[in-house]
Amino acid sequence: MKLQHITFTGIDARTDINALAAIQSEFPIAEFGVLTSYHWHENGNRYLNPERIIKLCGKGLKLALHVCGSAAHDAACKGGWDKIDKLTIDNLHLFKRVQLNLAERKDNPEYCWIPLIIGQELIIQQRAELELPLFESTVKHWTERSYPHRDTISALLDSSGGRGIDIPLKVWPSSGKIGYAGGFNPDNVADKLSFLMSHVTQGTFWIDMESGVRTDDWFDIDKVYKVLQTCKPIIEEYNKEG
């Protein structure tokens, strides 16, 4: 299937983990994103206290770790994982995918990051189409020097940067795995997903949403469920046609 994940980013202190597990059981395509940074405790509700990460263990959840700010830059360019909260790193095995939100990247530094877990998918957030050639050069660099599996590196196209701004979708032609974000919410996900299912002609993709599934800046399980219910018949119809 072309669509690989529907990612809901920013589970927080109020999120009912058992409710997440129930959703995961009903909708295997769901993935839940955990935001982290050096100063997670100063960054608002969206950043999960690392002490709660261990509670995600054993629930059958598909999880992605989203590393933000200077922590992402240090991890990418300096191998600085040791500076990130120890509880997060000790439980890195819980995350099948790790996303580095390198919003400040303007050139192609000498990346030296080596995955802590072989086969763990690495996602590079791209804020603009202009960065896509940079992403390609980064993939080439890592593939040649330190990251042995090119097919475990993917890109998330996210001009919104988690702000919930509805960005018109434009498909990036690639044989690889590409993520799309930018204003997805329960009201527009049907149109946006249908567009992607129709226009992604090569490779695989996923969609990611953050602000669109929050209420008063808290993760909203009901909105997550509504999104998945809306997407289910669209996925089934395209699978039937395929």
Side-chain angles (χ1 to χ4, degrees):
M1 183 171 65
K2 290 188 295 184
L3 179 66
Q4 299 290 295
H5 319 277
I6 300 177
T7 304
F8 303 97
T9 298
I11 60 176
D12 52 43
R14 292 186 183 179
T15 303
D16 184 336
I17 297 174
N18 289 326
L20 291 186
I23 288 175
Q24 185 77 84
S25 178
E26 184 175 354
F27 301 98
I29 200 166
E31 177 185 68
F32 302 102
V34 174
L35 291 165
T36 191
S37 70
Y38 287 152
H39 306 291
W40 61 267
H41 52 287
E42 300 173 0
N43 292 344
N45 303 335
R46 303 185 186 199
Y47 288 75
L48 190 67
N49 185 330
E51 292 181 358
R52 281 183 60 84
I53 290 178
I54 191 63
K55 296 181 180 180
L56 302 173
C57 187
K59 299 294 184 179
L61 299 175
K62 294 179 181 177
L63 300 169
L65 182 68
H66 293 205
V67 185
C68 305
S70 55
H73 183 273
D74 287 350
C77 305
K78 304 175 183 177
W81 285 96
D82 58 312
K83 298 179 183 179
I84 299 174
D85 187 276
K86 187 176 185 300
L87 281 172
T88 302
I89 298 307
D90 286 349
N91 290 286
L92 195 65
H93 62 280
L94 295 175
F95 303 97
K96 299 300 183 185
R97 307 204 298 159
V98 175
Q99 178 172 307
L100 300 180
N101 293 340
L102 298 166
E104 304 302 319
R105 189 174 82 258
K106 300 185 188 310
D107 53 16
N108 192 5
E110 287 296 302
Y111 291 108
C112 62
W113 184 68
I114 298 175
L116 296 185
I117 300 175
I118 296 297
Q120 197 168 48
E121 184 178 334
L122 174 65
I123 307 166
I124 306 298
Q125 182 197 51
Q126 305 294 134
R127 284 292 186 91
E129 287 183 46
L130 293 176
E131 293 182 352
L132 295 178
L134 174 56
F135 169 73
E136 291 286 9
S137 66
T138 300
V139 170
K140 184 174 185 295
H141 179 93
W142 263 328
T143 301
E144 291 176 348
R145 299 196 182 187
S146 62
Y147 209 103
H149 305 294
R150 181 187 177 94
D151 60 354
T152 57
I153 307 177
S154 54
L156 175 73
L157 305 184
D158 183 15
S159 297
S160 173
R163 295 169 293 171
I165 301 171
D166 193 347
I167 307 296
L169 290 171
K170 184 176 180 180
V171 171
W172 181 31
S174 170
S175 59
K177 185 177 179 182
I178 307 298
Y180 294 90
F184 284 88
N185 61 56
D187 296 326
N188 66 21
V189 70
D191 289 339
K192 285 178 174 284
L193 179 57
S194 294
F195 174 85
L196 290 169
M197 295 293 269
S198 298
H199 289 80
V200 174
T201 58
Q202 53 183 323
T204 58
F205 74 96
W206 79 97
I207 59 175
D208 181 295
M209 58 204 78
E210 187 175 325
S211 293
V213 288
R214 307 190 77 79
T215 298
D216 298 327
D217 204 31
W218 291 100
F219 193 81
D220 191 325
I221 291 285
D222 291 337
K223 288 183 177 179
V224 168
Y225 195 76
K226 185 176 180 181
V227 166
L228 290 165
Q229 284 183 310
T230 300
C231 292
K232 183 178 179 179
I234 298 171
I235 296 168
E236 290 175 345
E237 182 62 28
Y238 277 92
N239 285 343
K240 187 189 306 179
E241 291 178 0

